[in-house]
Amino acid sequence: MREFVYNAAPARILFGSGTRQRLPDEAERLGLERLLVLSTPDQEAVGRSIAEILGSRATGLFSGAVMHTPVAVTEEALAVIAASKADGVVAVGGGSTTGLGKAIALRTGLPQIVLPTTYAGSEMTPILGETEGGLKRTQTTAKVLPGTVIYDVDLTLSLPPSISSVSGINAIAHASEALYARDGNPVIELIAQEGIRALAAALPRIVDEPRNGPARADALYGAWLCGLCLGAVGMALHHKLCHTLGGSFDLPHAETHTIVLPHALSYNAQAAPRAMACIASALGSKDALSGLSALLERLKLKRSLAEIGMPETGISRAADLATANPYWNPRPVERDAVYELIRRAYAGEAPRADF
């Protein structure tokens, strides 16, 4: 008998095409009258369109969200919140904007509505990572959970295929680690496999035909499921490494996850055979590592940390930081082995489970 505990995070999900038009009704349902819209600088136009849908319920737009949720940016947004007397926020975008909404909620208790435009999945988690002084610190608290998530497939149609691909692999990383989490359970195992399967099938179709609506719907569905996994169970070595690398060297979030994932899985492969079998099955491959490698090749993604801006001199520091206060992991986290993992990821070498 497999004993387990399963906790379901409360959330209201609206999924479909054109669902952003239901935003005013959702605001009314929540009793919100003064909503500040959040976006990144690149998605300011999308943010303004969401503010227009809200009409008189929108107090304005803060378009300063950036990667890794710097505390300084959160403080800027809080000043706008105070000046506008907002009673809630609407975050439209990917993980950067969702992170800002969570950081605001943590400090103010304001409710959030999230409209994802990528496959990051952070809208489904009680996890917040914030950066200050060159370090990224992560915490888990129900205070940052959005109350409503509106998935509108139409908002993802213009996401470039290259960004769609790394965002999707980022989501697959969430589900992959959930399969060997210390507090894993059969429910999350099923959700994780379905999320990986949906994304692995959809991403190549998106690369070939970026405005393929059914493929976009499948990818967003898969990302939602993978986000559920990340929100329901603990993280392990892969996420610790990515948080360390991203926060310390300002590396792009999804690209870092994409590059590190094969190496993190190889590190844990022998210690988590059941998880590897589940990943392989979801990918339709004989084994997890070859299946993931084939998918990454099909998507033509970068495979080395050097390509995305990590300095070679940072390998040793990253190994020190990642092992100083490690997350639980199915295989013991050892500094020399982690150093070798990061070195291989830096160089873009093929992952090997021989260390």
Side-chain angles (χ1 to χ4, degrees), residues 303-322:
R303 303 294 294 274
S304 81
L305 293 172
E307 290 182 87
I308 62 171
M310 181 179 172
E312 186 173 7
T313 55
I315 297 174
S316 183
R317 178 170 178 246
D320 290 339
L321 290 171

Side-chain angles (χ1 to χ4, degrees), residues 2-6 177-189 232-234 328:
R2 182 179 179 186
E3 296 184 358
F4 65 91
V5 174
Y6 173 62
E177 284 226 309
L179 285 166
Y180 52 67
R182 175 170 49 181
D183 50 353
N185 59 74
V187 178
I188 290 301
E189 188 173 288
V233 297
W328 180 89

